[in-house]
Amino acid sequence: MANVIPTSFKTELLSGTHNFASGGNSFKLALYTDISGLSASTTAFTTTNQVSSSGTNYTSGGNALSSQAVSSDSTTATVDFADLTFSSVTLSAVGAMIYNDTNSDKICVVLDFGGTKSCSNGTFTITFPSTSSSGPGAAGTNSLISISS
């Protein structure tokens, strides 16, 4: 499976459901042991196959994303979040879901880690890609969520 942007997210963007600007909606990231049931037709956060963790720094429903920022250049708009760290946890995850905690837990994106990532009584970090591009194409093409012309 690859990363998935739900069909509903595209419509919700155009109807103003998601406000990614600083001070806008609150977003969370939840971790999963199996993402095969999360498809383009999935519309809202689910606890099915969510990781269970020993330790206190990952809770059911995931953790809040912070420092969200929207930026753009002449051809690309992007959103970025601060990296997310779960310290002192034991868990294994194959993917994650970013969802809008403010607006009915609507899904923005399902992320496929490309295999199981594990942590044993340590720090599990989600590192978000840079909003700039070091390769060909417009700035922001490496971003997790970007819209280009």
Side-chain angles (χ1 to χ4, degrees):
M1 185 173 155
N3 296 340
V4 174
I5 295 177
T7 304
S8 58
F9 176 72
K10 299 166 192 172
T11 305
E12 292 161 3
L13 274 180
L14 296 176
S15 65
T17 301
H18 302 284
N19 180 353
F20 287 100
S22 177
N25 297 149
S26 296
F27 295 88
K28 284 188 170 181
L29 183 141
L31 298 170
Y32 290 86
T33 58
D34 181 358
I35 58 172
S36 62
L38 302 174
S39 68
S41 63
T42 307
T43 59
F45 166 76
T46 178
T47 57
T48 303
N49 296 321
Q50 189 179 183
V51 302
S52 59
S53 165
S54 66
T56 58
N57 293 315
Y58 180 85
T59 57
S60 181
N63 292 33
L65 294 169
S66 64
S67 301
Q68 66 199 51
V70 173
S71 60
S72 65
D73 66 9
S74 62
T75 61
T76 306
T78 64
V79 64
D80 190 24
F81 300 98
D83 294 347
L84 184 59
T85 300
F86 306 97
S87 57
S88 302
V89 295
T90 297
L91 59 82
S92 294
V94 299
M97 173 192 297
I98 294 176
Y99 67 96
N100 189 330
D101 193 41
T102 302
N103 287 324
S104 304
D105 297 340
K106 295 180 184 297
I107 299 174
C108 301
V109 63
V110 175
L111 306 171
D112 183 347
F113 294 163
T116 302
K117 307 299 179 191
S118 298
C119 180
S120 179
N121 194 26
T123 302
F124 190 92
T125 302
I126 304 294
T127 304
F128 288 97
S130 168
T131 58
S132 63
S133 176
S134 58
T141 55
N142 290 336
S143 299
L144 188 60
I145 300 173
S146 64
I147 300 171
S148 300
S149 62

